[in-house]
């Protein structure tokens, strides 16, 4: 039986980074002997102006690379992820150069996510752990929460469920503090998945139901469908086939609505499996064939 036990990562690459305009270079022409005639204070002013202009140029380039990396990341192919990695590594150097710790943390989070997707879990953890103190230093609670969530997901995928729970539970109060209901629903779903995998089905249902209420409230139909499927899987594992069908059948139209064909196929397979377990082989075949 196929499962739709989706975990929820967050990238937290900020689309609306402050728009740093490319300031025009100021041409200061100092001719011959007149250089020594400029008062010291004016010379210092000019130097400061040049320094500020260079910082603006660096920021503009950093933003450009960050945005380009985000567009490549969104494509989601192995090649585009590698290209995004190159963009973000260059952007990181520039954000470090201008001392922008918030955006350093943001880009580190993105780079870590790419390494995670490519299967380099320890490398991802290293980068997330570099991002975390930066987010804390600039008091970016949203960035801190997302990083904690992603660290939890890496530990979860490595099979260290207790460590995963530890980081999810650190993320949750921060997410609630910044009132990000969408992210809260995803983190609650992730906690539910851990308890489910540990065999504590009642705790899993408790967190899934909290996640479902929040995702319904914010209108996140993809997350609703994911959680409904996860609830269905718990009921199925507990032997309550009719309840499992009830939740799968609630998930299916939502997946149709958002155009998630993989999710539809998985849910149809899950429904088929329930009918097969109930001995209704014709209905099972019907849903398997749709899948």
């Amino acid at each position: 039986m196929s499962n739709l036990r989706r975990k929820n990562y967050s990238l937290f690459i900020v689309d609306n980074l402050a728009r740093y305009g490319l300031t025009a270079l100021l041409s200061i022409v100092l001719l011959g002997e007149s250089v020594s005639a400029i008062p010291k204070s004016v010379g210092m002013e000019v130097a400061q102006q040049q320094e500020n202009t260079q910082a603006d140029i660096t920021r503009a380039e950093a933003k450009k690379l960050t945005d380009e990396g985000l567009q490549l990341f969104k494509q989601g192919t192995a090649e585009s992820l590698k290209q995004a990695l190159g963009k973000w590594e260059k952007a990181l150097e520039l954000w470090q150069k201008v001392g922008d710790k918030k955006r350093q943390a943001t880009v580190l989070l993105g780079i870590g996510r790419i390494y995670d997707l490519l299967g380099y879990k320890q490398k991802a953890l290293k980068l997330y752990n570099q991002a975390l103190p930066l987010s804390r230093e600039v008091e970016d609670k949203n960035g801190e929460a997302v990083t904690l969530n992603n660290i939890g997901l890496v530990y979860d995928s490595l099979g260290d469920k207790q460590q995963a729970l530890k980081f999810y539970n650190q993320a949750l109060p921060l997410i609630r503090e910044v009132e990000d209901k969408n992210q809260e629903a995803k983190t609650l779903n992730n906690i539910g998945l851990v308890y489910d995998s540990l065999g504590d089905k009642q705790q899993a249902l408790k967190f899934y139901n909290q996640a479902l209420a929040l995702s319904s409230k914010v209108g996140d139909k993809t997350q609703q469908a994911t959680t409904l499927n996860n609830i269905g899987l718990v009921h199925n594992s507990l032997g309550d086939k009719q309840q499992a069908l009830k939740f799968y059948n609630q998930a299916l139209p939502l997946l149709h609505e958002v155009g998630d064909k993989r999710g539809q196929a998985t849910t149809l397979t899950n429904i088929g499996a329930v009918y097969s377990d109930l001995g209704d082989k014709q209905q099972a075949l019907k849903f398997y064939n749709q899948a």
Side-chain angles (χ1 to χ4, degrees), residues 241-264:
K241 305 297 180 180
Q242 293 304 325
Q243 275 291 88
L245 278 177
K246 171 187 167 184
F247 285 99
Y248 294 150
N249 283 317
Q250 287 179 50
L252 199 55
L254 293 170
L255 292 163
H256 277 292
E257 200 171 332
V258 298
D260 184 347
K261 294 185 178 180
R262 180 176 294 180
Q264 290 173 50

Side-chain angles (χ1 to χ4, degrees), residues 151-223:
I151 292 171
L153 283 157
V154 174
Y155 280 117
D156 197 352
S157 67
L158 291 171
D160 193 338
K161 304 299 180 181
Q162 294 305 323
Q163 275 290 87
L165 274 179
K166 171 186 167 184
F167 283 97
Y168 292 151
N169 284 320
Q170 286 181 51
L172 200 54
L174 289 168
I175 293 166
R176 285 172 172 159
E177 193 174 339
V178 298
E179 298 182 348
D180 187 341
K181 304 292 184 187
N182 189 277
Q183 184 59 36
E184 184 180 350
K186 291 175 179 179
T187 303
L188 288 164
N189 183 76
N190 291 342
I191 293 172
L193 281 165
V194 173
Y195 281 115
D196 196 353
S197 65
L198 290 171
D200 192 339
K201 303 300 180 180
Q202 293 307 317
Q203 273 291 87
L205 282 176
K206 172 187 168 184
F207 283 97
Y208 287 152
N209 283 321
Q210 289 178 50
L212 182 60
L214 280 173
S215 58
S216 300
K217 186 175 181 178
V218 299
D220 185 342
K221 293 178 182 179
T222 300
Q223 183 59 42

Side-chain angles (χ1 to χ4, degrees), residues 13 19 24 88 96 112 117 128 135 155 172 174 181 185 193 201 204 209 222-223 230 233 241 252 266 270 280:
I13 285 294
R19 296 179 182 276
W88 282 342
Q96 288 169 336
L117 285 168
Y128 291 153
S135 291
Y155 280 117
L172 200 54
L174 289 168
K181 304 292 184 187
L193 281 165
K201 303 300 180 180
N209 283 321
T222 300
Q223 183 59 42
N230 289 346
L233 287 162
K241 305 297 180 180
L252 199 55
T266 300
N270 288 347
D280 191 339

